[in-house]
Amino acid sequence: CVPPPVPAGAGAGVVEVERSVTAVLGQDVVLPCRYRAQEQEQVEQVTWLKRGPGGRSAEVAVLHRQHGQHVQEPYAGRVLRRAEGALEDGAIVLRN
């Protein structure tokens, strides 16, 4: 889960993620991501990245307030939003 960019000099909310998530092979797992927004802030987009070997990142999914969600091909059909509504809760469920 990638925090939103913040304009210079602006206050920013806090991204809350779990340091570690345990998954069981063959079962769904929730990957939590919550943004505690400051007053007048609204989350427009949440981007999920998978960090691979050597620290390289690959996009898994993008959740957008107006355009819905886009999931990259290797994860199509396996990534779902955990909750409907505002993107302050940007958690996803990774199926199976």
Side-chain angles (χ1 to χ4, degrees), residues 2-44:
V2 179
V6 178
V14 176
V15 176
E16 299 172 343
V17 295
E18 296 292 324
R19 184 106 177 116
S20 175
V21 175
T22 301
V24 176
L25 186 62
Q27 294 185 9
D28 296 353
V29 63
V30 174
L31 302 178
C33 177
R34 183 141 191 82
Y35 184 71
R36 282 192 295 143
Q38 296 291 321
E39 192 174 323
Q40 304 298 321
E41 282 187 309
Q42 182 176 8
V43 177
E44 292 289 321

Side-chain angles (χ1 to χ4, degrees), residues 34-74:
R34 183 141 191 82
Y35 184 71
R36 282 192 295 143
Q38 296 291 321
E39 192 174 323
Q40 304 298 321
E41 282 187 309
Q42 182 176 8
V43 177
E44 292 289 321
Q45 177 175 304
V46 175
T47 303
W48 279 91
L49 303 172
K50 178 181 179 182
R51 190 169 297 150
R56 295 181 56 179
S57 295
E59 187 176 281
V60 172
V62 175
L63 313 177
H64 194 277
R65 189 171 69 83
Q66 292 179 357
H67 303 294
Q69 75 179 31
H70 174 75
V71 179
Q72 293 299 324
E73 185 56 39

